Amino acid sequence: MYEPSSLGFGPFFASQLGPRDGPDPVPARIAAEHRGAYEAWSCAGANPARLAGRLRRELEGQALPGVGDWVVLAGAPRPDELAVIERVLERRTQFTRGAAGRAARVQVVAANVDLVFVVCGLDEDFNVRRLERYLARVGASGAEPAVILNKADLCGDVAGRAAEVERRLGGVPVLVTSALGRAGLEAVRARVHAGVTVALVGSSGAGKSTLVNALLGEERLPTGPVRASDGRGRHVTTHRQLVLLPAGGLLLDTPGMRELELVDEDGLDVAFADLTALPARCRYRDCRHEAEPGCAVRAAVESGALDPEQVEHHQQLAREARAFELRHDHRKRRQEARRWGQLADELARLRRFKGGKE
């Protein structure tokens, strides 16, 4: 049996319960999801769960429950009994990405988390540009961001790499750990309190599951070695899983993501805090930060206050996010098509004018 408050149930979710949920509503948290089958934690304990038939017909895409979501069950199930999910409560936060494939679909990676640890290995996995990409999605989620640089035992210049990350991600907490050596864990534990949910995201082989096991004090989640040839991890973690720590607090372990496509520009100000305040000081509102006079961003680059690679990466991610939005949002796509059509008409009129036909 689980006390709802220990799973993160608070006033935001309690306020959504009403008469339609019956006299004794049973809120539950989705602890795992396996291709449409769920594990739900509630006052009745841990139960397998499925969607009610009505919900299966009504919900699709990112509206479907994901790990971390709060739902309402159709009564308190008995031990090991299949529970029925009657309703999905509104999310407080959600970490999303563009789903792999050509279709512009938004995938919910973690729901209702308070803090997201972006885990990066201090081996061949180390990549500051990837950290910026992850932090942009954390910033858009509504959760608090932090970075864990893991595998300190494999790095000859831990202080240098930590300083590089802190410089590029100004203001975001950076923790250094060695999960295998059980080093640096106290700083991580200090951020995981009773009722707080923390998600761990990052590439395969970064050590997310090893960190969870280290914090649990037991080998509960499967782990595996990285490839010796290129340091890339294998997909040992195959699904998202909530884990309740003995001292309180929840960890949400996630599979490594080979792709993390941005679905919007929200959150870029978190990943690029030093940069995003500058465009307001540019001479022109629509400044592209390339060769325009009075560009505050280019001036900061020339003075050495901004890293030119950081500016280039910010612009790349912003273009990627706008492209996804156009593919995903039919209305925006029609507006963009109309705009290009108007430009084509204007160009045709100009050509006719120059040819003396108007």
Side-chain angles (χ1 to χ4, degrees), residues 277-335:
L278 291 174
R281 290 156 49 187
C282 292
R283 182 181 301 177
Y284 302 108
R285 286 186 180 181
D286 59 349
C287 183
R288 298 175 63 186
H289 318 308
E290 293 176 351
E292 297 89 341
C295 174
V297 173
R298 301 315 308 177
V301 170
E302 291 166 6
S303 70
L306 271 183
D307 186 336
E309 182 188 357
Q310 190 175 18
V311 175
E312 188 275 332
H313 194 218
H314 176 272
Q315 293 176 324
Q316 174 193 332
L317 293 181
R319 288 192 299 268
E320 177 185 314
R322 287 194 293 269
F324 183 94
E325 285 188 287
L326 282 175
R327 296 200 313 274
H328 182 68
D329 192 321
H330 298 287
R331 179 179 58 83
K332 286 186 177 181
R333 192 160 63 242
R334 287 195 300 269
Q335 289 176 341

Side-chain angles (χ1 to χ4, degrees), residues 15-357:
S15 65
Q16 298 179 51
L17 302 178
R20 62 173 169 168
D21 299 309
D24 296 303
V26 181
R29 194 153 196 201
I30 301 299
E33 190 266 335
H34 307 272
R35 296 185 178 182
Y38 301 95
E39 179 184 339
W41 291 354
S42 70
C43 59
N47 290 83
R50 64 168 177 84
L51 293 176
R54 173 183 52 80
L55 281 188
R56 287 201 303 272
R57 293 189 297 270
E58 293 177 354
L59 301 183
E60 61 180 18
Q62 66 189 100
L64 288 165
V67 178
D69 266 321
W70 279 97
V71 300
V72 179
L73 303 181
R78 293 187 295 273
D80 299 322
E81 181 184 16
L82 181 65
V84 177
I85 298 170
E86 289 285 355
R87 192 159 70 90
V88 182
L89 300 184
E90 179 188 346
R91 294 170 181 138
R92 191 165 51 82
T93 66
Q94 59 176 8
F95 181 93
T96 61
R97 68 163 181 167
R102 291 186 177 182
R105 296 183 297 107
V106 178
Q107 179 185 41
V108 178
V109 176
N112 299 314
V113 297
D114 303 284
L115 170 65
V116 178
F117 281 134
V118 182
V119 184
C120 177
L122 284 169
D123 51 3
E124 288 82 356
D125 182 59
F126 183 75
N127 188 313
V128 179
R129 288 168 70 94
R130 191 192 305 128
L131 286 174
E132 289 173 336
R133 177 180 290 272
Y134 270 95
L135 284 171
R137 293 316 305 149
V138 179
S141 74
E144 180 186 350
V147 170
I148 293 180
L149 298 179
N150 191 33
K151 304 186 182 182
D153 52 308
L154 300 181
C155 179
D157 185 18
V158 174
R161 285 195 164 178
E164 179 184 356
V165 172
E166 289 171 347
R167 175 176 57 82
R168 285 283 288 266
L169 308 178
V172 175
V174 177
L175 310 179
V176 177
T177 65
S178 172
L180 281 177
R182 302 298 193 263
L185 297 182
E186 288 307 314
V188 178
R189 285 195 185 97
R191 294 177 175 270
V192 187
H193 310 289
V196 170
T197 305
V198 179
L200 289 84
V201 300
S203 56
S204 296
K208 301 183 295 298
S209 297
T210 304
L211 272 167
V212 173
N213 287 338
L215 293 168
L216 283 170
E218 61 177 283
E219 299 298 311
R220 186 181 304 180
L221 302 184
T223 61
V226 298
R227 286 200 301 253
S229 58
D230 58 6
R232 294 186 65 177
R234 299 174 176 84
H235 280 291
V236 176
T237 301
T238 58
H239 66 280
R240 300 170 188 88
Q241 177 71 57
L242 269 181
V243 174
L244 184 62
L245 294 180
L250 298 109
L251 297 177
L252 199 167
D253 189 28
T254 66
M257 290 178 272
R258 289 196 178 96
E259 298 180 23
L260 185 70
E261 186 174 11
L262 271 61
V263 302
D264 51 47
E265 293 184 73
D266 296 345
L268 286 177
D269 56 336
V270 173
F272 299 89
D274 292 342
L275 190 157
T276 50
L278 291 174
R281 290 156 49 187
C282 292
R283 182 181 301 177
Y284 302 108
R285 286 186 180 181
D286 59 349
C287 183
R288 298 175 63 186
H289 318 308
E290 293 176 351
E292 297 89 341
C295 174
V297 173
R298 301 315 308 177
V301 170
E302 291 166 6
S303 70
L306 271 183
D307 186 336
E309 182 188 357
Q310 190 175 18
V311 175
E312 188 275 332
H313 194 218
H314 176 272
Q315 293 176 324
Q316 174 193 332
L317 293 181
R319 288 192 299 268
E320 177 185 314
R322 287 194 293 269
F324 183 94
E325 285 188 287
L326 282 175
R327 296 200 313 274
H328 182 68
D329 192 321
H330 298 287
R331 179 179 58 83
K332 286 186 177 181
R333 192 160 63 242
R334 287 195 300 269
Q335 289 176 341
E336 189 72 4
R338 281 198 298 269
R339 187 174 74 85
W340 282 108
Q342 291 166 355
L343 288 174
D345 292 343
E346 189 66 31
L347 180 59
R349 283 195 294 270
L350 182 60
R351 285 173 175 167
R352 289 196 296 269
F353 177 80
K354 287 184 176 181
K357 296 181 181 180

